[in-house]
Amino acid sequence: QVQLVESGGGLVQPGGSLRLSCAASGSIFSIYSMAWYRQAPGKQRELVATITSAGSTNYADSVKGRFTIARDNAKRTVYLQMSSLKPEDTAVYYCNQGRSYSTVYYPNDVWGQGTQVTVSS
């Protein structure tokens, strides 16, 4: 069973940047796809970005060109570099460890505590 710990969230102004980190343990990190999800108040959790074990990435249209997902297998960590942040990006951000088949990501139902990102003036 993987354990996931997200960090790096905070309050940022529109247009600002933030880098989120997710440390994974309890699994063979390098063989899994990783993903970032977010959940805004009153909304369902939505997929933001994925990265496969081979390093292929996919992004939600809403964040494409602004967010970058990356992984460091040696550190067992996945990152989400967030730039040009918008108020609509405000959410609790969660990482997930799962599987990718072609471009489809299949999440594991294991989540960390999440990290709050608030984009506001």
Side-chain angles (χ1 to χ4, degrees), residues 31-34 96-101 104-108:
I31 70 172
Y32 290 98
S33 291
M34 297 294 295
N96 185 263
Q97 185 174 90
R99 304 281 190 176
S100 293
Y101 299 96
V104 180
Y105 179 78
Y106 293 83
N108 191 299

Side-chain angles (χ1 to χ4, degrees), residues 32-36 49-58 69-71 78-79 100 105:
Y32 290 98
S33 291
M34 297 294 295
W36 284 97
T50 64
I51 183 166
T52 70
S53 61
S56 298
T57 59
N58 280 287
I69 187 171
R71 65 191 297 159
V78 63
Y79 305 95
S100 293
Y105 179 78

Side-chain angles (χ1 to χ4, degrees), residues 8-18 20 38 40-41 63 66-67 82-93 115-121:
L11 175 64
V12 64
Q13 294 184 348
S17 297
L18 216 53
L20 307 183
R38 66 186 181 187
V63 307
R66 300 188 298 118
F67 291 9
M82 311 165 68
S83 300
S84 301
L85 283 162
K86 305 175 180 180
E88 309 94 89
D89 297 318
T90 296
V92 178
Y93 283 71
T115 186
Q116 175 72 50
V117 172
T118 302
V119 185
S120 176
S121 299

Side-chain angles (χ1 to χ4, degrees), residues 43-74:
K43 301 184 70 176
Q44 289 193 342
R45 190 172 293 174
E46 65 172 339
L47 182 61
V48 174
T50 64
I51 183 166
T52 70
S53 61
S56 298
T57 59
N58 280 287
Y59 300 92
D61 288 342
S62 59
V63 307
K64 198 170 298 181
R66 300 188 298 118
F67 291 9
T68 301
I69 187 171
R71 65 191 297 159
D72 186 332
N73 288 342

